[in-house]
Structure formats: structure tokens, C-alpha cells
Amino acid sequence: MSFMRHSSLPKKTANFYVVGTGLIGSTLLRQIEAQQEALALKYNLELRAVALADLKHMVFNKNGIRLETWEQELDGSGSIMNLAEFVTLMKNPVALPNRIFVDCTASEEIASYYTTILESGISIVTPSKK
């Protein structure tokens, strides 16, 4: 499928932070990776993974984490997962614009941070029922 570039649209970057890289999170990351070119061409939109976390590790990169190698980055260069630190880094006062927190867990602990995250101007997306 080919897309025409919409140069009349201003380039927009959405910076996202994902906690939970199991079945749902990893599927989401693969889908975003597969759609990046189409989103850039059709909507002039870049989706940038800025932080990823699983139960053991977390990794941040304000310039974006390569979705082709996210698993190696998380396992190889990630620091030990600390939810409070993750949220603090996400809320950083020199934070990136258009921030989206994606919670792909069923963790009530993570859900307990939703109010703080929303009050920081960060959108939340979650498939969780918690």
C-alpha cells in the first residue's frame, strides 16, 4: 500500500512510555513499528518510544528507543525497574511534549499512579481492567 506524504500537515511527535512488555505490550510495539512509515507519510506523525519497562528492567532514551531492538535495549542497558523512579522520570520538568503513558499490565500498583500521571499532563492508555 502506498501513501502520499501530506507535507501540508505539520510534523507531530507523540512520545510514549510503556510499562508491560508481555504479550500485549510486545504486540503493541510490533504494531507501532510496522506502521511507523505509513503514519509518517499519511499523517506526518512520529510515534517515539521514550521509555519501556517490564518487571525487572526499565530503559529511557529521550531521543527514542529503536523498536527493532527494544528487547535487547531493555535487557542489556536497562536499569532495575523502580516504578516511582519511572513515573518521576516521565514527569521530568523538561519533559517532551505530547506524552502518552501506556500501561500494558494488570498492576494495581501502577494504576495507583494514574492520578499523578494525569495531573502531570500525560495521557494514559491501558487495556487493563484495573
Side-chain angles (χ1 to χ4, degrees), residues 15-17 48-52 58-66 73 77 86 89 96:
N15 297 288
F16 66 95
Y17 306 75
R48 182 185 306 149
V50 177
L52 302 173
M58 62 183 190
V59 64
F60 280 80
N61 184 337
K62 68 177 181 168
N63 297 315
I65 297 165
R66 290 179 40 97
E73 285 193 53
S77 63
F86 188 95
L89 289 168
L96 301 165

PDB file of all heavy atoms in Angstrom, residues 15-17 48-52 58-66 73 77 86 89 96:
ATOM      1  N   ASN A  15       5.339  11.131  22.120  1.00  0.00           N
ATOM      2  CA  ASN A  15       6.336  10.410  22.909  1.00  0.00           C
ATOM      3  C   ASN A  15       5.615   9.481  23.868  1.00  0.00           C
ATOM      4  O   ASN A  15       4.822   9.925  24.682  1.00  0.00           O
ATOM      5  CB  ASN A  15       7.197  11.413  23.682  1.00  0.00           C
ATOM      6  CG  ASN A  15       7.976  12.296  22.740  1.00  0.00           C
ATOM      7  OD1 ASN A  15       8.912  11.851  22.109  1.00  0.00           O
ATOM      8  ND2 ASN A  15       7.570  13.554  22.613  1.00  0.00           N
ATOM      9  N   PHE A  16       5.892   8.168  23.749  1.00  0.00           N
ATOM     10  CA  PHE A  16       5.172   7.239  24.601  1.00  0.00           C
ATOM     11  C   PHE A  16       6.090   6.436  25.508  1.00  0.00           C
ATOM     12  O   PHE A  16       7.249   6.218  25.214  1.00  0.00           O
ATOM     13  CB  PHE A  16       4.228   6.345  23.786  1.00  0.00           C
ATOM     14  CG  PHE A  16       4.881   5.393  22.831  1.00  0.00           C
ATOM     15  CD1 PHE A  16       5.151   4.087  23.200  1.00  0.00           C
ATOM     16  CD2 PHE A  16       5.207   5.793  21.537  1.00  0.00           C
ATOM     17  CE1 PHE A  16       5.730   3.199  22.325  1.00  0.00           C
ATOM     18  CE2 PHE A  16       5.795   4.913  20.652  1.00  0.00           C
ATOM     19  CZ  PHE A  16       6.061   3.606  21.046  1.00  0.00           C
ATOM     20  N   TYR A  17       5.507   6.052  26.635  1.00  0.00           N
ATOM     21  CA  TYR A  17       6.183   5.332  27.715  1.00  0.00           C
ATOM     22  C   TYR A  17       5.363   4.070  27.971  1.00  0.00           C
ATOM     23  O   TYR A  17       4.177   4.174  28.269  1.00  0.00           O
ATOM     24  CB  TYR A  17       6.198   6.180  28.986  1.00  0.00           C
ATOM     25  CG  TYR A  17       6.777   7.565  28.807  1.00  0.00           C
ATOM     26  CD1 TYR A  17       6.058   8.568  28.158  1.00  0.00           C
ATOM     27  CD2 TYR A  17       8.036   7.875  29.292  1.00  0.00           C
ATOM     28  CE1 TYR A  17       6.582   9.838  28.003  1.00  0.00           C
ATOM     29  CE2 TYR A  17       8.565   9.149  29.148  1.00  0.00           C
ATOM     30  CZ  TYR A  17       7.833  10.125  28.491  1.00  0.00           C
ATOM     31  OH  TYR A  17       8.358  11.378  28.340  1.00  0.00           O
ATOM     32  N   ARG A  48       7.268   7.957  19.058  1.00  0.00           N
ATOM     33  CA  ARG A  48       8.609   7.717  19.592  1.00  0.00           C
ATOM     34  C   ARG A  48       8.506   7.048  20.960  1.00  0.00           C
ATOM     35  O   ARG A  48       7.962   7.612  21.901  1.00  0.00           O
ATOM     36  CB  ARG A  48       9.365   9.029  19.725  1.00  0.00           C
ATOM     37  CG  ARG A  48      10.789   8.835  20.226  1.00  0.00           C
ATOM     38  CD  ARG A  48      11.504  10.142  20.480  1.00  0.00           C
ATOM     39  NE  ARG A  48      11.474  11.018  19.328  1.00  0.00           N
ATOM     40  CZ  ARG A  48      11.469  12.354  19.420  1.00  0.00           C
ATOM     41  NH1 ARG A  48      11.467  12.961  20.586  1.00  0.00           N
ATOM     42  NH2 ARG A  48      11.453  13.087  18.342  1.00  0.00           N
ATOM     43  N   ALA A  49       9.064   5.832  21.062  1.00  0.00           N
ATOM     44  CA  ALA A  49       9.148   5.128  22.344  1.00  0.00           C
ATOM     45  C   ALA A  49      10.279   5.761  23.140  1.00  0.00           C
ATOM     46  O   ALA A  49      11.438   5.690  22.752  1.00  0.00           O
ATOM     47  CB  ALA A  49       9.421   3.646  22.125  1.00  0.00           C
ATOM     48  N   VAL A  50       9.943   6.409  24.233  1.00  0.00           N
ATOM     49  CA  VAL A  50      10.927   7.104  25.059  1.00  0.00           C
ATOM     50  C   VAL A  50      11.341   6.258  26.260  1.00  0.00           C
ATOM     51  O   VAL A  50      12.463   6.369  26.740  1.00  0.00           O
ATOM     52  CB  VAL A  50      10.354   8.465  25.522  1.00  0.00           C
ATOM     53  CG1 VAL A  50      11.316   9.191  26.434  1.00  0.00           C
ATOM     54  CG2 VAL A  50       9.997   9.319  24.323  1.00  0.00           C
ATOM     55  N   ALA A  51      10.445   5.401  26.726  1.00  0.00           N
ATOM     56  CA  ALA A  51      10.751   4.561  27.883  1.00  0.00           C
ATOM     57  C   ALA A  51       9.965   3.268  27.794  1.00  0.00           C
ATOM     58  O   ALA A  51       8.811   3.260  27.361  1.00  0.00           O
ATOM     59  CB  ALA A  51      10.421   5.280  29.175  1.00  0.00           C
ATOM     60  N   LEU A  52      10.627   2.193  28.211  1.00  0.00           N
ATOM     61  CA  LEU A  52       9.996   0.878  28.270  1.00  0.00           C
ATOM     62  C   LEU A  52      10.354   0.240  29.596  1.00  0.00           C
ATOM     63  O   LEU A  52      11.456   0.452  30.111  1.00  0.00           O
ATOM     64  CB  LEU A  52      10.497  -0.020  27.133  1.00  0.00           C
ATOM     65  CG  LEU A  52      10.308   0.467  25.708  1.00  0.00           C
ATOM     66  CD1 LEU A  52      11.006  -0.469  24.731  1.00  0.00           C
ATOM     67  CD2 LEU A  52       8.830   0.590  25.373  1.00  0.00           C
ATOM     68  N   MET A  58      13.995  -1.240  33.253  1.00  0.00           N
ATOM     69  CA  MET A  58      13.411  -0.076  32.590  1.00  0.00           C
ATOM     70  C   MET A  58      14.519   0.622  31.818  1.00  0.00           C
ATOM     71  O   MET A  58      15.691   0.586  32.210  1.00  0.00           O
ATOM     72  CB  MET A  58      12.749   0.869  33.592  1.00  0.00           C
ATOM     73  CG  MET A  58      13.660   1.470  34.618  1.00  0.00           C
ATOM     74  SD  MET A  58      12.682   2.475  35.771  1.00  0.00           S
ATOM     75  CE  MET A  58      13.993   3.280  36.669  1.00  0.00           C
ATOM     76  N   VAL A  59      14.155   1.204  30.706  1.00  0.00           N
ATOM     77  CA  VAL A  59      15.123   1.920  29.891  1.00  0.00           C
ATOM     78  C   VAL A  59      14.475   3.214  29.397  1.00  0.00           C
ATOM     79  O   VAL A  59      13.293   3.230  29.048  1.00  0.00           O
ATOM     80  CB  VAL A  59      15.635   1.046  28.714  1.00  0.00           C
ATOM     81  CG1 VAL A  59      14.532   0.694  27.747  1.00  0.00           C
ATOM     82  CG2 VAL A  59      16.787   1.715  27.991  1.00  0.00           C
ATOM     83  N   PHE A  60      15.248   4.302  29.425  1.00  0.00           N
ATOM     84  CA  PHE A  60      14.805   5.615  28.955  1.00  0.00           C
ATOM     85  C   PHE A  60      15.767   6.110  27.888  1.00  0.00           C
ATOM     86  O   PHE A  60      16.979   5.934  28.012  1.00  0.00           O
ATOM     87  CB  PHE A  60      14.812   6.637  30.103  1.00  0.00           C
ATOM     88  CG  PHE A  60      13.623   6.565  30.998  1.00  0.00           C
ATOM     89  CD1 PHE A  60      13.541   5.616  31.989  1.00  0.00           C
ATOM     90  CD2 PHE A  60      12.567   7.451  30.836  1.00  0.00           C
ATOM     91  CE1 PHE A  60      12.442   5.528  32.823  1.00  0.00           C
ATOM     92  CE2 PHE A  60      11.460   7.376  31.663  1.00  0.00           C
ATOM     93  CZ  PHE A  60      11.401   6.420  32.656  1.00  0.00           C
ATOM     94  N   ASN A  61      15.220   6.742  26.883  1.00  0.00           N
ATOM     95  CA  ASN A  61      16.032   7.413  25.871  1.00  0.00           C
ATOM     96  C   ASN A  61      15.171   8.514  25.267  1.00  0.00           C
ATOM     97  O   ASN A  61      14.254   8.227  24.495  1.00  0.00           O
ATOM     98  CB  ASN A  61      16.502   6.445  24.790  1.00  0.00           C
ATOM     99  CG  ASN A  61      17.418   7.104  23.786  1.00  0.00           C
ATOM    100  OD1 ASN A  61      17.406   8.322  23.603  1.00  0.00           O
ATOM    101  ND2 ASN A  61      18.217   6.308  23.111  1.00  0.00           N
ATOM    102  N   LYS A  62      15.449   9.779  25.624  1.00  0.00           N
ATOM    103  CA  LYS A  62      14.609  10.891  25.153  1.00  0.00           C
ATOM    104  C   LYS A  62      14.640  11.041  23.638  1.00  0.00           C
ATOM    105  O   LYS A  62      13.752  11.653  23.056  1.00  0.00           O
ATOM    106  CB  LYS A  62      15.017  12.196  25.829  1.00  0.00           C
ATOM    107  CG  LYS A  62      16.368  12.699  25.420  1.00  0.00           C
ATOM    108  CD  LYS A  62      16.683  14.026  26.059  1.00  0.00           C
ATOM    109  CE  LYS A  62      18.046  14.473  25.568  1.00  0.00           C
ATOM    110  NZ  LYS A  62      18.337  15.814  25.889  1.00  0.00           N
ATOM    111  N   ASN A  63      15.643  10.456  22.989  1.00  0.00           N
ATOM    112  CA  ASN A  63      15.726  10.505  21.528  1.00  0.00           C
ATOM    113  C   ASN A  63      14.992   9.349  20.866  1.00  0.00           C
ATOM    114  O   ASN A  63      14.900   9.293  19.647  1.00  0.00           O
ATOM    115  CB  ASN A  63      17.184  10.520  21.082  1.00  0.00           C
ATOM    116  CG  ASN A  63      17.892  11.755  21.581  1.00  0.00           C
ATOM    117  OD1 ASN A  63      17.371  12.865  21.495  1.00  0.00           O
ATOM    118  ND2 ASN A  63      19.073  11.568  22.143  1.00  0.00           N
ATOM    119  N   GLY A  64      14.506   8.431  21.671  1.00  0.00           N
ATOM    120  CA  GLY A  64      13.731   7.303  21.151  1.00  0.00           C
ATOM    121  C   GLY A  64      14.484   5.989  21.232  1.00  0.00           C
ATOM    122  O   GLY A  64      15.693   5.934  21.028  1.00  0.00           O
ATOM    123  N   ILE A  65      13.750   4.964  21.536  1.00  0.00           N
ATOM    124  CA  ILE A  65      14.272   3.598  21.584  1.00  0.00           C
ATOM    125  C   ILE A  65      13.916   2.937  20.265  1.00  0.00           C
ATOM    126  O   ILE A  65      12.762   2.990  19.822  1.00  0.00           O
ATOM    127  CB  ILE A  65      13.631   2.828  22.762  1.00  0.00           C
ATOM    128  CG1 ILE A  65      14.014   3.500  24.083  1.00  0.00           C
ATOM    129  CG2 ILE A  65      14.032   1.356  22.734  1.00  0.00           C
ATOM    130  CD1 ILE A  65      13.179   3.068  25.267  1.00  0.00           C
ATOM    131  N   ARG A  66      14.903   2.329  19.634  1.00  0.00           N
ATOM    132  CA  ARG A  66      14.653   1.652  18.346  1.00  0.00           C
ATOM    133  C   ARG A  66      13.711   0.476  18.570  1.00  0.00           C
ATOM    134  O   ARG A  66      14.019  -0.424  19.334  1.00  0.00           O
ATOM    135  CB  ARG A  66      15.960   1.178  17.726  1.00  0.00           C
ATOM    136  CG  ARG A  66      16.843   2.302  17.229  1.00  0.00           C
ATOM    137  CD  ARG A  66      18.150   1.779  16.650  1.00  0.00           C
ATOM    138  NE  ARG A  66      17.990   0.571  15.861  1.00  0.00           N
ATOM    139  CZ  ARG A  66      17.882   0.532  14.532  1.00  0.00           C
ATOM    140  NH1 ARG A  66      17.943   1.638  13.834  1.00  0.00           N
ATOM    141  NH2 ARG A  66      17.738  -0.615  13.899  1.00  0.00           N
ATOM    142  N   GLU A  73      17.731  -3.661  24.121  1.00  0.00           N
ATOM    143  CA  GLU A  73      17.998  -2.448  24.901  1.00  0.00           C
ATOM    144  C   GLU A  73      17.472  -2.578  26.319  1.00  0.00           C
ATOM    145  O   GLU A  73      18.151  -2.213  27.278  1.00  0.00           O
ATOM    146  CB  GLU A  73      17.375  -1.220  24.224  1.00  0.00           C
ATOM    147  CG  GLU A  73      18.140  -0.759  23.004  1.00  0.00           C
ATOM    148  CD  GLU A  73      17.700   0.618  22.549  1.00  0.00           C
ATOM    149  OE1 GLU A  73      17.698   1.553  23.370  1.00  0.00           O
ATOM    150  OE2 GLU A  73      17.352   0.736  21.362  1.00  0.00           O
ATOM    151  N   SER A  77      20.753  -2.784  28.452  1.00  0.00           N
ATOM    152  CA  SER A  77      21.191  -1.496  29.007  1.00  0.00           C
ATOM    153  C   SER A  77      20.184  -0.901  29.984  1.00  0.00           C
ATOM    154  O   SER A  77      20.371   0.205  30.473  1.00  0.00           O
ATOM    155  CB  SER A  77      21.466  -0.504  27.879  1.00  0.00           C
ATOM    156  OG  SER A  77      20.285  -0.237  27.154  1.00  0.00           O
ATOM    157  N   PHE A  86      10.406   5.558  37.588  1.00  0.00           N
ATOM    158  CA  PHE A  86       9.877   5.596  36.223  1.00  0.00           C
ATOM    159  C   PHE A  86       8.907   6.761  36.077  1.00  0.00           C
ATOM    160  O   PHE A  86       9.000   7.556  35.141  1.00  0.00           O
ATOM    161  CB  PHE A  86       9.180   4.267  35.898  1.00  0.00           C
ATOM    162  CG  PHE A  86       8.768   4.125  34.465  1.00  0.00           C
ATOM    163  CD1 PHE A  86       9.592   3.480  33.554  1.00  0.00           C
ATOM    164  CD2 PHE A  86       7.554   4.618  34.011  1.00  0.00           C
ATOM    165  CE1 PHE A  86       9.209   3.337  32.225  1.00  0.00           C
ATOM    166  CE2 PHE A  86       7.167   4.486  32.694  1.00  0.00           C
ATOM    167  CZ  PHE A  86       8.002   3.839  31.791  1.00  0.00           C
ATOM    168  N   LEU A  89      10.755  10.150  36.273  1.00  0.00           N
ATOM    169  CA  LEU A  89      11.453  10.456  35.014  1.00  0.00           C
ATOM    170  C   LEU A  89      10.463  10.856  33.922  1.00  0.00           C
ATOM    171  O   LEU A  89      10.729  11.754  33.130  1.00  0.00           O
ATOM    172  CB  LEU A  89      12.289   9.263  34.564  1.00  0.00           C
ATOM    173  CG  LEU A  89      13.532   8.990  35.402  1.00  0.00           C
ATOM    174  CD1 LEU A  89      14.135   7.625  35.062  1.00  0.00           C
ATOM    175  CD2 LEU A  89      14.571  10.084  35.211  1.00  0.00           C
ATOM    176  N   LEU A  96       9.327  15.892  27.388  1.00  0.00           N
ATOM    177  CA  LEU A  96       8.972  16.013  25.983  1.00  0.00           C
ATOM    178  C   LEU A  96       7.486  16.330  25.841  1.00  0.00           C
ATOM    179  O   LEU A  96       6.692  15.978  26.713  1.00  0.00           O
ATOM    180  CB  LEU A  96       9.298  14.694  25.289  1.00  0.00           C
ATOM    181  CG  LEU A  96      10.765  14.269  25.387  1.00  0.00           C
ATOM    182  CD1 LEU A  96      10.918  12.813  24.996  1.00  0.00           C
ATOM    183  CD2 LEU A  96      11.641  15.156  24.540  1.00  0.00           C
TER     184      LEU A  96
END
